Amino acid sequence: MPQTRIAVVGSANMDLVGTAAALPRPGETVLGSDFVMLPGGKGANQAVAAVRAGASCVFLGAIGSDAFGVTLRARITAAGVDTGHLRVTYGPSGVALVMVGGAGENAILVTPGANEAFTGPTEDELAAIREADVLVAQLEVPVETVTEAALAARSAGTRVVLNAAPARPLPPELLAATDLLVVNEPEAQALTGRGRDEPAALLDLVPRAVLTLGGDGAWYVDRDRPALHVPALPVDVVDSTAAGDAFTAALAVAWGEGRDLVEAVRWAAAAGAACVRKLGASVALPHRAEIDALFGGRQGGAPA
């Protein structure tokens, strides 16, 4: 089977991660236990996750001219991602301040830095998108850039997977070019005004979608088949920071490999479950063997 080619358009951040028994409330200071500095950003995470899931991947985004940018490029490249099109802009790289509580919950503050400057895709960047089997995009870079990328993909027959995070209004032309939408419950509510009780509301926007619900699994909805609930796999949760990125990347890889989307969602759920067992974002993203091991013991969903 030929290796799936993934193009990721998105953000790259340096994640500054601190852990504590409980997250601080507004105005409160708590004593933490551990600190790590790791490459992150939804775009970079999904690019690394795609490679670990078995695809080849080109990452399109921007890093700053600071020391964080140098480290980000080195680590993303070392993970096997093609960073030949990764831009460097003068100024700071994106930074995420991540606090992780004892139950694996997190609170994240992101300062976009160079990610905001990733505008006006070049012809070389658009060509890399057109050559891919699947384009994966998120919304931590300007939505105009994502829209241009999606339209280029659509023109070439490249499938478009849009992880609409963080939540923001989406241009009609971007929705029209989206083949598969991936959102969590707050993002679904922002887009449709409805949550887990009406996942099919997403089909008013796109032909197929996945609504992720963390420990409650995920809903897959499709205009051509009944809705399906896929339960989460029972694992010990250490840090849920990059679980959504692992899920989205694995979903795109499986779909690009020609798997039925129901099976692809179940495989993606195994990727998300494998990810939450480790601390950190990029370092927790699972390899294909880890996903397959959990997928072998998955629980099936039933049509709703």
Side-chain angles (χ1 to χ4, degrees):
M1 180 176 62
Q3 191 176 35
T4 297
R5 298 167 299 173
I6 303 289
V8 173
V9 169
S11 60
N13 299 322
M14 185 60 74
D15 288 354
L16 309 179
V17 185
T19 63
L23 298 180
R25 295 168 295 184
E28 181 185 19
T29 298
V30 301
L31 185 62
S33 53
D34 293 296
F35 172 80
V36 291
M37 186 172 71
L38 303 163
K42 296 191 73 64
N45 286 345
Q46 291 177 15
V48 172
V51 169
R52 292 185 180 178
S56 64
C57 182
V58 58
F59 177 49
L60 306 171
I63 53 177
S65 56
D66 55 2
F68 283 165
V70 174
T71 302
L72 283 169
R73 179 186 290 277
R75 293 196 181 182
I76 297 168
T77 303
V81 177
D82 179 353
T83 58
H85 296 281
L86 184 59
R87 299 185 193 177
V88 178
T89 64
Y90 181 77
S93 299
V95 174
L97 307 176
V98 184
M99 296 183 293
V100 182
E105 74 280 15
N106 61 66
I108 305 173
L109 171 67
V110 177
T111 57
N115 296 303
E116 286 188 320
F118 183 45
T119 59
T122 66
E123 184 52 42
D124 284 346
E125 290 167 340
L126 295 176
I129 291 167
R130 296 187 189 103
E131 292 168 1
D133 298 307
V134 183
L135 167 68
V136 179
Q138 326 78 32
L139 301 175
E140 290 183 340
V141 295
V143 69
E144 296 81 6
T145 302
V146 175
T147 301
E148 289 184 63
L151 292 174
R154 173 55 61 92
S155 71
T158 297
R159 291 170 170 169
V160 177
V161 176
L162 175 63
N163 179 203
R168 64 172 67 183
L170 299 179
E173 57 268 33
L174 175 56
L175 289 170
T178 297
D179 296 297
L180 175 62
L181 181 69
V182 181
V183 290
N184 62 19
E185 188 168 20
E187 293 152 3
Q189 289 174 332
L191 289 173
T192 68
R194 301 179 180 93
R196 69 178 65 203
D197 295 331
E198 296 185 66
L202 293 166
L203 298 180
D204 293 337
L205 305 175
V206 292
R208 55 192 71 81
V210 177
L211 172 58
T212 61
L213 299 169
D216 292 327
W219 280 99
Y220 172 62
V221 292
D222 189 315
R223 290 174 183 170
D224 297 325
R225 64 172 76 183
L228 180 85
H229 179 253
V230 175
L233 296 173
V235 294
D236 293 329
V237 178
V238 174
D239 180 6
S240 62
T241 302
D245 297 332
F247 181 100
T248 300
L251 179 61
V253 172
W255 197 23
E257 291 176 350
R259 303 194 202 191
D260 178 82
L261 264 171
V262 169
E263 180 183 355
V265 172
R266 289 174 170 154
W267 198 66
C275 183
V276 302
R277 299 182 297 183
K278 301 176 184 177
L279 176 65
S282 59
V283 294
L285 298 168
H287 293 269
R288 190 178 184 98
E290 298 174 81
I291 303 172
D292 285 339
L294 277 178
F295 180 65
R298 73 189 187 281
Q299 302 175 32

